[in-house]
Amino acid sequence: MKSITLARPTTARDEPAGAIWRDAAAGIAGVSVAVGLSELAAGLVPGVPSLVASVGSAVIDLQPPGAKELVVALFGANDKLALELFIVGVALAAGALVGALAGRWPWLAAAGFGAFGLLAFGATLLDPQASPALSAVSVGASVWIGVRVLTWLARRGRLRATGSMPSWSRRSFLIRSGGVVVAAGVGGVLGRSLIEARLTSPAVAGTTVPPAARLASLPPAAELNVQGITPLVVPNEDFYRIDTALLLPSVDLATWRLRIHGMVERETSLTFEQLAQLPLFEQYVTIACVSNEVGDDLVGNAKWTGVSLRDVLDMAGVQPGATQLVGRSVDGWTAGMPTAWVMDPAREPMIALRMNDEPLPIAHGFPARLIVPGLYGYVSATKWLSELELTTLEAFDAFWIPRGWAKEAPILTQSRIDVPRPATGIAAGRGAIAGVAWAPDRGISRVEVSVDGEWREARLSNPISDATWVQWRVDWDATPGRHTLAVRATDGEGTVQTDQRTPPAPDGARGHHTISVQVG
Ligand SMILES: Nc1nc2c(c(=O)[nH]1)N[C@H]1C(S)=C(S)[C@@H](COP(=O)(O)O)O[C@H]1N2
Ligand SMILES: [Mo]
């Protein structure tokens, strides 16, 4: 007679405990497969949304008003990665919980995954670029496969208790569930890289924009020659990037339209070609992010080529009572600015189609974005522009306003020390203190540098215009020891930059950039 030898006798004591960990692991594996496959599908089939990105965008959109720390953090790139990893982590933890509970109440597997599927589907509905049908298919398939994987692993993991089939040892269970998680992870990462490759390999290169009728050129001595200073014109690949888009919106030029509507005489819609055929002009404009801390680099200067925003608004005819202009992007983000700011003939707000003589990079708003001299990005610089809506200031609050940021936000006067680098050691002797200063579009009239409390006048680069930053420099004889350097700028209206520090929220950081250097 053949006897079946169990690896280890089962006892009532250790089996349930072993089973619950296996059930939890099965839940984690189920979620991994659901998430990995949905990312892979999103990478392979254009139009299928990334569920992780959709949920992430929903988190950004639905963040509680006044959650200022979160609000500030969510502007930048590292925060986006952290948010997506956090979402995957929460999903895996929820999967573990559902798996563990489903060991007791098997219906919970389908119910739990179903509930998460509904949440993910709801998130895709908030994304104007996602097709609800494809989202539903992707969510449905992910939920189904996730539940299947969970029940398969959980059943095989617990069979020892029932003895009805050869069971997996602890080791083979771990290998199988671990293998499933790793395969799902590889699929997910592959899917994500396919999405990103698609989003950055542009149809952009094919766009043709006629040459501008009015060119911008740099004045003589526009740039100072200092090693390590920020370039006067920041190359596109080094230009700061801030937006709420977890995945870059990809625009099909054939179907893209710019719609001008709301309080206008005649609603107007323009194709990219029609837009590009309007008179084009170039200008240098420095744009800045309100969430920039004193001394940080969420600010940049570029040459923009585009059409006059006022020309386009005139085509639609702005009604007299329309006090607010709202720029809306293809992904539903909005910025609102006073119509009066845009209409002021002293500045030239534009719909930019090119950046530093290249088609607008996707990360910076392809195919068209707003550039409005003097206003922080969140109240003006709409990327991936799709609509201009005329309304009143009272009637509408744009994206960041209910989230704790000021309704009207002109760029504050700021200055930054680039050289020497903060907290570095330098050699004693003659050297430069240098950096940039900006106050668009009031211009910069003066920059002073304090060495250990004593203010000296800095030499300025020849300004391109009031809408751009300047470079500045002071020469000093660095004596051995520790020194404190600070900088302050005076704007074109004669107002000196305040030394009273404020945080970025709600309307921009104030205070002098102050650094400490060790000489000798
Ligand atoms: N569609 C869209 N446009 C946007 C944003 C956004 O989140 N979505 N962020 C704005 C903010 S806060 C800033 S500071 C500027 C940054 O422009 P850049 O990324 O080209 O430097 O874009 C603005 N335009
Ligand atoms: Mo910003």
Side-chain angles (χ1 to χ4, degrees):
M1 174 195 141
K2 274 189 185 170
S3 72
I4 298 166
T5 319
L6 293 177
R8 196 165 53 102
T10 318
T11 70
R13 238 181 318 119
D14 69 358
E15 189 52 40
I20 207 166
W21 286 115
R22 291 180 182 211
D23 290 342
I28 290 177
V31 166
S32 308
V33 170
V35 172
L37 267 188
S38 63
E39 290 298 304
L40 189 59
L44 293 173
V45 187
V48 172
S50 153
L51 299 182
V52 176
S54 293
V55 171
S57 301
V59 170
I60 295 177
D61 287 356
L62 302 175
Q63 64 185 289
K68 296 229 176 83
E69 295 313 309
L70 184 65
V71 165
V72 173
L74 280 175
F75 276 112
N78 294 335
D79 313 302
K80 287 179 182 167
L81 181 61
L83 174 65
E84 295 203 275
L85 291 177
F86 174 74
I87 285 162
V88 172
V90 167
L92 292 176
L97 185 68
V98 167
L101 295 175
R104 256 233 134 126
W105 301 285
W107 55 269
L108 254 174
F113 274 65
F116 272 96
L118 277 181
L119 276 181
F121 180 64
T124 65
L125 291 181
L126 293 178
D127 175 1
Q129 293 172 287
S131 124
L134 285 174
S135 305
V137 170
S138 164
V139 169
S142 306
V143 165
W144 182 79
I145 197 123
V147 173
R148 296 292 303 199
V149 167
L150 183 158
T151 41
W152 169 62
L153 282 172
R155 265 186 46 221
R156 297 301 297 262
R158 320 176 108 249
L159 283 175
R160 193 160 16 162
T162 68
S164 61
M165 269 170 78
S167 65
W168 290 345
S169 66
R170 171 187 294 256
R171 191 155 166 258
S172 56
F173 175 81
L174 282 179
I175 289 174
R176 281 182 172 85
S177 45
V180 165
V181 172
V182 169
V186 169
V189 169
L190 178 68
R192 185 43 79 97
S193 29
L194 288 173
I195 299 173
E196 256 141 41
R198 191 167 63 227
L199 295 180
T200 44
S201 74
V204 174
T207 55
T208 42
V209 174
R214 185 151 48 90
L215 302 179
S217 57
L218 296 178
E223 197 147 13
L224 299 180
N225 179 17
V226 181
Q227 180 81 33
I229 199 171
T230 303
L232 184 73
V233 181
V234 180
N236 291 354
E237 53 279 9
D238 299 334
F239 208 91
Y240 84 94
R241 178 193 160 197
I242 290 290
D243 51 65
T244 60
L246 290 177
L247 291 174
L248 290 172
S250 65
V251 168
D252 177 5
L253 272 194
T255 54
W256 180 86
R257 296 285 183 279
L258 175 61
R259 195 159 79 88
I260 305 103
H261 66 111
M263 295 174 69
V264 294
E265 302 302 341
R266 35 192 183 274
E267 188 168 324
T268 304
S269 173
L270 297 172
T271 65
F272 185 79
E273 239 179 40
Q274 289 170 325
L275 195 61
Q277 270 157 14
L278 297 175
L280 291 156
F281 72 104
E282 300 177 344
Q283 68 176 330
Y284 290 88
V285 177
T286 297
I287 64 170
C289 185
V290 70
S291 62
N292 199 36
E293 300 276 357
V294 173
D296 264 349
D297 56 6
L298 299 179
V299 51
N301 183 48
K303 184 212 252 183
W304 308 96
T305 307
V307 306
S308 155
L309 177 56
R310 285 197 288 268
D311 282 359
V312 171
L313 292 177
D314 286 348
M315 293 172 82
V318 175
Q319 289 176 14
T323 49
Q324 182 173 213
L325 171 65
V326 175
R328 185 172 284 107
S329 61
V330 299
D331 60 345
W333 186 87
T334 49
M337 65 217 89
T339 311
W341 189 279
V342 171
M343 292 303 179
D344 186 338
R347 55 180 69 93
E348 301 208 53
M350 74 198 303
I351 301 173
L353 310 179
R354 294 172 70 82
M355 179 177 183
N356 290 328
D357 298 318
E358 288 167 24
L360 210 52
I362 297 188
H364 297 289
F366 178 83
R369 75 174 302 171
L370 292 181
I371 291 292
V372 182
L375 297 182
Y376 279 121
Y378 83 104
V379 286
S380 66
T382 315
K383 306 193 275 190
W384 315 294
L385 186 66
S386 67
E387 288 177 34
L388 295 170
E389 183 181 357
L390 276 305
T391 177
T392 62
L393 286 164
E394 297 75 31
F396 182 76
D397 281 339
F399 186 87
W400 285 110
I401 312 310
R403 293 164 177 86
W405 296 85
K407 177 109 181 183
E408 298 191 22
I411 299 176
L412 299 175
T413 304
Q414 263 301 345
S415 49
R416 183 180 73 210
I417 302 171
D418 294 337
V419 180
R421 292 258 161 257
T424 52
I426 56 167
R430 198 149 181 84
I433 306 169
V436 283
W438 61 93
D441 53 351
R442 302 176 298 283
I444 293 289
S445 59
R446 182 181 194 198
V447 173
E448 296 154 284
V449 171
S450 140
V451 178
D452 302 321
E454 196 189 298
W455 290 98
R456 321 174 174 195
E457 194 78 24
R459 196 151 56 77
L460 306 187
S461 64
N462 193 6
I464 307 174
S465 77
D466 287 345
T468 62
W469 64 14
V470 296
Q471 295 175 328
W472 55 264
R473 127 173 229 163
V474 160
D475 292 306
W476 70 312
D477 288 309
T479 52
R482 183 156 283 285
H483 297 285
T484 300
L485 309 179
V487 60
R488 71 178 180 208
T490 302
D491 73 10
E493 293 163 358
T495 308
V496 183
Q497 179 188 336
T498 178
D499 66 347
Q500 299 296 306
R501 286 215 162 226
T502 64
D507 64 347
R510 294 169 179 80
H512 295 167
H513 188 209
T514 305
I515 69 169
S516 177
V517 283
Q518 181 66 40
V519 179

